[in-house]
Amino acid sequence: MTQRLTIENITAHYGTTKVLEDLSLDIAEGELVSLLGASGCGKTTTLRLVAGFLAPTSGAITLGGKDLTRLPAHKRDIGLVFQNYALFPHLSVADNVGFGLKQRGIARDTRAKRVGAMLERVGLSHLADRLPGALSGGQKQRVALARALVIEPPLLMFDEPLSNLDAKLRIDMRVEIRQLQRANGTTSVYVTHDQEEAFSISDRVAIMHQGRIMQLDTPEVLYQRPANAFVARFVGFENLIPMTVVARDGETATVEAEGGVRLSLSSGHFGAIPDRFILASRADGLAVSDETNDGIPATLGLRTYLGRAYQYQCETPAGHLLANGPLGRPLDPGATAKLVPVPEQCTILAPEA
Amino acid sequence: MTRSVHPALIGLAVLVFIFLVGPLVIVVGAALSDTSFLTFPPQGLSLRWFENIFEIAAFRRTIVTSLQIAFLSTGIALVIGIPAAYAMNRYRIALPGWLSTLFVLPVLVPELVLGFSLLKSVAVQFTVPIYISLVIGHTLLVLPYVVRVISASLANFDFSVEEAAISLGSPPLKTFFTILLPNVRSGVIAAFILAFITSINDVSISIFMTGPGISTLPIQLLAHTEQFFDPTVASVSVLLMVLTVAVMAIVERTLGLTFLAK
Amino acid sequence: MKRFAGWTLASPAMFVVVLFLVLPVLATLWTTLTTPDGPLATYLAFFGSGFRRTVLWRTIQVSLATTAISLVIGFLTAYVISRAPGWLKSILIIAAVFPLLTGVVVRSFAWLIILGRNGILNNFLIGTGLTDEPFAMLYTQGAVITAMVYLFVPLMILTLAGVLESIPDELLQASASLGATPRATFLQVTLPLAVPGLIVGAVLVFTGSFTSYATPQLLGGESVMMMGTLMYQQAMVTFDWVSASTIAAVMVVITIAIVLVMTRLARRLNPMAV
């Protein structure tokens, strides 16, 4: 049992502060979508709205065609996994897992069977009678997961479920979560501030900022082709160079950056070049060369060894940039060189407002 | 949404708060009454019962005694209680567990029993003057508050800060005053206030420690209430409430009131 | 070195408590065991006296009633406080703290004005024509219980508000997300988690009531004598110190027994402490 989640034009306030603005999100059946962003970006608010702990100012939330917007939390039938697990400290592991079934009026022996099977799946059968206080962080997380899964909800939501675990366990658990989610095919919303975690686990990721979704895409697209400057910075594009076209000649455009730096770019390599744009790339999008004349003139600073290349801190008329140079020709600090954009590693973005 | 509470419960809570605050409002009203008997709502407003407090010598005397005893016992309790609380937090491992039990004993033993025992053993058997016995009794009464509140604020104190100061050349005793005390300042203030209020309101110990010319305000109030049923007691009560409000205002400004709820 | 420093700092307070509390109280208890008539004579006399048994029984009844009423009122009020928005919460806590900081004499005195023969309640009842004659409400068990509930409810509210505050919101949200109605969440999550607090509150109120003096003295007088007032009377009016010591011993034993048993129970039932 799995259903489509639709969030339509949701606006939400805490008191008089607007925390979500006209947010829409459509999650397909069986899909896992992460909400990714810094604290205060609205990701947890979105989750709380869907869970029913917060009422939106306007907009609608539907799950499998059923309108949830005004439904109280306990009638929504959503499996929730909390950051701090939120296990009931007075109930045994088995009773924690069975809590939701009990609320649904399921008979004791059926309940015991389903709880037993669920504990088996998460590998905690031997701890069924323990109290949560006696468990390790990873075990608590598994109980929380089992408790949310056993009610077979049409929607699962995770609120930073791994942030209280150590690094090694975090990686193991995220694989486990993904496997369980895949096996059940349950539509899922996963809130996290950890980019690696979001990219590794999700079908799609929504990068959020100031109550809005900045881009919703597959991890591959987000990583390679961010849609705007915010997302570009977020996924680690260090070089964002604002540029203006000053002349066009067929496929070639002459562009000017700050400090009077001029470059020729070919739309054959870079795609359509608008009149004003941002040339965005990671360090590998700018190649250090002391053998060419067409490039951004730079004075090289600190050189660091990356294994596959050298990376240079560069001072240019267009500002501080990061660029990679070939291993065969290490250049020393103070040397001058040209930085040449590498088309495959660069993206052209709309200028910032 | 999960915060919703059944309206019947809210109604009940409102009644409870009327129950809590109402009687005090009534006392204030009675104190302001112009009549010579206790009544509410007041018939004619007057402050003459407040003046009356200071015309009765017993009230004048006991107010002074109560303030003296409260300051003395709170002061002594702080002087002996702060080092004790410090020792129990800093040297927890080196000290036996029963020590902390010892310091809560004054709460465990009924005050009446403590008062009576002090009268019997200290005041009568060893003929310690009543006034000093009172100070001793009140010191014991407030000591647990001091130890508990200071311990609570020391529990959050990182003692390595103290070691850092000593390693930088500050002598231990000076470190105590310049590093430790400022860090538990709010705890000391809270302990002082709780102790002071507890002392000034005490009945069960002081009731055994009355002697020629010596008594505390609550005991005098009790005696006056049993003999005369006039608004003087109400006006003294109002004075005490004003004192309490003043103290609470200080707490509010220095620590925030929810502090007291801990 | 550490041991020495620790003992040195703790010793003044230790000295005061041992010398002025432990020894005098032990002396009081000792006198009850060393009467000329044998070690248990004074206790046999205490429990042999119908009047004293009545006083003990009445004290237990009044304390139990006070505890039960305070528990119910205190818990429900604390629950409402814990659910209230921040600003209201502070106001309500202040409203609960204020009576607590006002002396027991003042607070008992307020009920004298309310319950007296010409008191507010009687005036109100006569004024509205509900009765012609004033009720004799003072010096009854009901008056003492009412005033004691008034005395102890704030303590209960503060204790329980603290306990309810410490229950994380996530637990209640988790409960709701698993399909529990607000009622089910209250009964299956909030209430069980509050049990240790309820026990602590009950112990505070029971021992407080059981050993109280000013309230039964003012509102109960001679006709509703309780352990505290009886002990005072024996000690300071009839100067029968052996008898007073016996009452003291009974109070100490009952209080400490209840505290020890109940706090142990509370600790065992406290799942948060694991």
Side-chain angles (χ1 to χ4, degrees):
Chain A
M1 192 177 62
T2 171
Q3 287 169 356
R4 174 187 208 89
L5 173 72
T6 313
I7 300 173
E8 281 171 289
N9 309 103
I10 286 281
T11 299
H13 293 79
Y14 278 128
T16 54
T17 324
K18 190 182 276 184
V19 284
L20 283 186
E21 190 166 353
D22 199 25
L23 183 128
S24 296
L25 182 63
D26 198 13
I27 303 179
E29 291 174 20
E31 193 184 21
L32 191 157
V33 170
S34 286
L35 307 181
L36 174 66
S39 62
C41 71
K43 56 189 194 296
T44 299
T45 306
T46 309
L47 180 133
R48 291 169 58 81
L49 279 164
V50 177
F53 303 141
L54 199 69
T57 320
S58 62
I61 300 164
T62 53
L63 181 62
K66 193 170 76 171
D67 185 6
L68 294 186
T69 320
R70 303 286 157 207
L71 211 59
H74 66 273
K75 292 187 181 153
R76 294 199 181 192
D77 209 15
I78 293 171
L80 258 175
V81 179
F82 292 80
Q83 175 168 10
N84 48 15
Y85 323 124
L87 301 181
F88 304 118
H90 60 298
L91 299 180
S92 69
V93 166
D95 287 344
N96 259 286
V97 176
F99 190 91
L101 298 176
K102 190 174 167 190
Q103 308 308 322
R104 284 159 177 74
I106 289 167
R108 185 178 289 271
D109 40 340
T110 320
R111 210 158 74 204
K113 252 181 237 145
R114 284 175 64 179
V115 168
M118 195 65 231
L119 286 176
E120 188 95 21
R121 268 183 84 184
V122 295
L124 290 179
S125 302
H126 59 296
L127 298 176
D129 297 325
R130 296 273 182 89
L131 286 179
L135 304 183
S136 72
Q139 290 167 339
K140 283 182 188 162
Q141 188 57 69
R142 284 196 179 84
V143 177
L145 200 58
R147 186 177 69 176
L149 282 171
V150 78
I151 58 172
E152 294 174 357
L155 175 68
L156 264 175
M157 296 206 292
F158 301 85
D159 185 9
E160 306 243 4
L162 306 178
S163 61
N164 287 342
L165 302 177
D166 64 50
K168 165 88 175 69
L169 202 52
R170 209 146 56 207
I171 293 170
D172 294 349
M173 277 305 292
R174 78 185 183 211
V175 172
E176 207 165 316
I177 286 178
R178 182 57 160 163
Q179 281 168 344
L180 282 167
Q181 185 264 339
R182 270 275 168 80
N184 287 23
T186 313
T187 312
S188 300
V189 178
Y190 192 103
V191 164
T192 181
H193 65 271
D194 184 330
Q195 195 182 115
E196 189 196 322
E197 190 174 304
F199 280 21
S200 68
I201 204 176
S202 316
D203 294 310
R204 286 189 298 158
V205 176
I207 293 180
M208 294 186 66
H209 180 58
Q210 292 181 342
R212 269 179 285 207
I213 294 178
M214 304 305 287
Q215 189 175 358
L216 170 64
D217 250 314
T218 63
E220 292 83 352
V221 170
L222 285 170
Y223 192 81
Q224 288 301 328
R225 295 279 176 255
N228 50 58
F230 177 84
V231 175
R233 283 196 195 92
F234 195 91
V235 298
F237 279 50
E238 291 99 347
N239 304 318
L240 276 85
I241 314 165
M243 291 184 163
T244 313
V245 174
V246 289
R248 290 184 193 271
D249 178 15
E251 280 203 342
T252 307
T254 305
V255 299
E256 188 176 284
E258 208 178 309
V261 177
R262 288 200 174 200
L263 287 175
S264 307
L265 301 180
S266 158
S267 57
H269 294 131
F270 289 90
I273 298 172
D275 287 345
R276 292 183 62 232
F277 64 96
I278 292 173
L279 185 69
S281 74
R282 297 192 175 81
D284 59 5
L286 291 177
V288 174
S289 166
D290 58 352
E291 295 165 332
T292 176
N293 280 327
D294 193 24
I296 303 167
T299 306
L300 302 185
L302 186 70
R303 183 186 72 216
T304 50
Y305 175 64
L306 296 184
R308 55 195 155 72
Y310 286 118
Q311 187 166 101
Y312 297 89
Q313 306 282 332
C314 311
E315 294 308 325
T316 75
H320 182 88
L321 298 173
L322 277 182
N324 285 358
L327 288 173
R329 282 180 72 87
L331 298 170
D332 290 330
T336 54
K338 291 284 187 334
L339 308 183
V340 184
V342 183
E344 307 79 66
Q345 304 298 339
C346 288
T347 293
I348 291 196
L349 302 174
E352 283 176 286
Chain B
M1 225 180 246
T2 47
R3 294 228 142 221
S4 64
V5 177
H6 199 280
L9 273 183
I10 296 177
L12 183 111
V14 170
L15 286 181
V16 170
F17 279 101
I18 292 174
F19 172 70
L20 285 182
V21 178
L24 297 178
V25 173
I26 287 168
V27 172
V28 174
L32 295 170
S33 176
D34 197 27
T35 52
S36 61
F37 52 91
L38 278 165
T39 176
F40 185 90
Q43 298 171 4
L45 287 177
S46 130
L47 289 176
R48 69 180 173 117
W49 297 106
F50 286 90
E51 288 161 28
N52 195 43
I53 302 172
F54 298 97
E55 277 158 25
I56 301 175
F59 275 116
R60 282 204 311 268
R61 218 171 37 233
T62 53
I63 287 174
V64 173
T65 311
S66 269
L67 286 173
Q68 285 174 338
I69 300 284
F71 273 114
L72 277 173
S73 58
T74 302
I76 297 172
L78 283 173
V79 168
I80 64 176
I82 292 175
Y86 174 81
M88 289 197 311
N89 283 277
R90 181 82 168 80
Y91 307 111
R92 193 191 307 275
I93 314 132
L95 298 174
W98 56 258
L99 203 58
S100 53
T101 314
L102 186 73
F103 293 128
V104 295
L105 265 188
V107 183
L108 226 53
V109 173
E111 284 171 43
L112 278 175
V113 175
L114 175 58
F116 174 57
S117 302
L118 277 174
L119 169 73
K120 220 158 61 73
S121 304
V122 177
V124 173
Q125 202 169 348
F126 291 98
T127 60
V128 172
I130 288 289
Y131 189 90
I132 295 177
S133 304
L134 257 179
V135 175
I136 293 173
H138 280 227
T139 304
L140 286 168
L141 176 70
V142 304
L143 185 64
Y145 292 97
V146 171
V147 173
R148 209 183 61 197
V149 173
I150 304 280
S151 283
S153 53
L154 278 175
N156 303 321
F157 182 73
D158 178 5
F159 285 102
S160 61
V161 171
E162 203 189 32
E163 282 161 5
I166 293 173
S167 77
L168 292 168
S170 167
L173 196 64
K174 192 178 166 206
T175 307
F176 180 84
F177 284 102
T178 56
I179 302 294
L180 189 98
L181 271 190
N183 275 294
V184 295
R185 196 184 64 106
S186 61
V188 175
I189 296 172
F192 179 89
I193 286 164
L194 274 179
F196 193 85
I197 287 180
T198 306
S199 166
I200 210 118
N201 285 326
D202 173 73
V203 170
S204 294
I205 289 180
S206 315
I207 192 83
F208 291 99
M209 310 276 180
T210 52
I214 296 181
S215 186
T216 62
L217 183 60
I219 305 303
Q220 168 63 22
L221 268 181
L222 207 54
H224 192 91
T225 308
E226 285 177 296
Q227 285 164 32
F228 320 94
F229 202 58
D230 70 24
T232 315
V233 175
S235 47
V236 177
S237 303
V238 171
L239 268 192
L240 281 173
M241 279 190 245
V242 170
L243 184 77
T244 309
V245 170
V247 166
M248 283 177 79
I250 297 170
V251 178
E252 169 64 31
R253 293 195 58 178
T254 48
L255 308 169
L257 263 174
T258 39
F259 188 88
L260 290 175
K262 282 175 196 165
Chain C
M1 172 59 204
K2 279 195 167 180
R3 181 177 292 259
F4 177 74
W7 281 112
T8 311
L9 289 168
S11 58
M14 226 174 74
F15 175 78
V16 168
V17 174
V18 171
L19 190 65
F20 296 117
L21 185 131
V22 177
L23 293 180
V25 170
L26 284 180
T28 299
L29 302 184
W30 186 245
T31 51
T32 65
L33 300 173
T34 51
T35 55
D37 307 328
L40 292 175
T42 153
Y43 291 96
L44 292 176
F46 179 87
F47 288 103
S49 151
F51 174 67
R52 281 161 204 213
R53 277 204 313 269
T54 310
V55 170
L56 176 60
W57 179 230
R58 179 189 296 132
T59 311
I60 292 174
Q61 278 179 315
V62 168
S63 306
L64 281 179
T66 305
T67 309
I69 299 170
S70 305
L71 267 179
V72 174
I73 297 182
F75 184 61
L76 295 177
T77 312
Y79 182 71
V80 174
I81 293 181
S82 75
R83 313 263 78 200
W87 59 273
L88 185 60
K89 195 178 287 180
S90 328
I91 293 179
L92 295 180
I93 285 181
I94 292 172
V97 169
F98 185 71
L100 203 59
L101 296 180
T102 314
V104 52
V105 179
V106 175
R107 285 193 285 161
S108 305
F109 172 74
W111 287 96
L112 274 184
I113 311 179
I114 297 169
L115 300 177
R117 201 174 165 73
N118 295 311
I120 294 164
L121 201 53
N122 268 325
N123 282 344
F124 173 78
L125 290 176
I126 294 170
T128 52
L130 286 170
T131 175
D132 299 327
E133 282 291 297
F135 281 108
M137 285 180 284
L138 275 185
Y139 313 118
T140 62
Q141 208 152 309
V144 177
I145 293 174
T146 307
M148 285 220 190
V149 168
Y150 178 66
L151 217 57
F152 288 114
V153 156
L155 192 65
M156 194 67 104
I157 292 177
L158 286 186
T159 307
L160 294 176
V163 171
L164 291 174
E165 260 325 92
S166 72
I167 297 177
D169 256 0
E170 285 82 18
L171 286 187
L172 310 179
Q173 293 175 351
S175 174
S177 81
L178 291 165
T181 60
R183 194 186 139 86
T185 299
F186 180 81
L187 293 176
Q188 294 174 32
V189 181
T190 311
L191 193 59
L193 290 177
V195 164
L198 290 168
I199 292 177
V200 170
V203 168
L204 285 175
V205 173
F206 185 86
T207 55
S209 313
F210 192 76
T211 63
S212 63
Y213 170 76
T215 308
Q217 175 69 20
L218 277 176
L219 295 159
E222 295 279 321
S223 42
V224 192
M225 181 102 16
M226 286 180 50
M227 289 292 274
T229 40
L230 179 63
M231 182 192 152
Y232 178 77
Q233 192 204 48
Q234 295 294 308
M236 306 302 278
V237 181
T238 58
F239 287 101
D240 183 350
W241 281 12
V242 172
S243 164
S245 301
T246 308
I247 300 166
V250 173
M251 287 206 302
V252 169
V253 168
I254 291 184
T255 323
I256 292 188
I258 285 177
V259 170
L260 289 185
V261 171
M262 296 303 264
T263 48
R264 199 146 296 176
L265 184 66
R267 208 169 299 155
R268 244 204 12 224
L269 289 175
N270 185 358
M272 311 278 230
V274 177

